[in-house]
């Protein structure tokens, strides 16, 4: 449960940083944070499926 909360918070923060970088016209950092966001999302999905939860 706690790892899902940590992953969810990480996902939200990385998406916010991605949008801030795009607004500041810093596309290299925005691309990097976008990739990080996708990796965190994949880990969140994997952890949810491994626990057998159907809430997501």
């Amino acid at each position: 449960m706690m790892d899902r909360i940590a992953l969810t918070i990480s996902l939200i923060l990385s998406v916010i940083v991605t949008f801030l970088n795009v607004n500041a016209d810093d596309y290299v950092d925005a691309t990097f944070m976008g990739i990080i966001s996708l990796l965190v999302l994949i880990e969140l999905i994997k952890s949810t499926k491994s626990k057998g939860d159907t809430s997501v």
Side-chain angles (χ1 to χ4, degrees), residues 14-29:
S14 60
V15 167
I16 289 171
V17 170
T18 300
F19 285 126
L20 289 175
N21 282 331
V22 168
N23 286 337
D25 294 331
D26 193 0
Y27 299 114
V28 173
D29 287 341

Side-chain angles (χ1 to χ4, degrees), residues 2 4-7 9-10 13-14 18-20 25-28 32-33 36 39-42 44 48-49 54:
M2 291 301 289
R4 281 183 43 202
I5 293 172
L7 285 172
I9 291 171
S10 297
L13 290 176
S14 60
T18 300
F19 285 126
L20 289 175
D25 294 331
D26 193 0
Y27 299 114
V28 173
F32 179 72
M33 286 306 297
I36 297 294
L39 292 174
V40 171
L41 179 64
I42 290 169
L44 182 63
T48 303
K49 285 189 176 187
T54 58

Side-chain angles (χ1 to χ4, degrees), residues 4 44-56:
R4 281 183 43 202
L44 182 63
I45 291 170
K46 277 200 266 185
S47 74
T48 303
K49 285 189 176 187
S50 70
K51 303 241 182 198
D53 283 341
T54 58
S55 61
V56 172

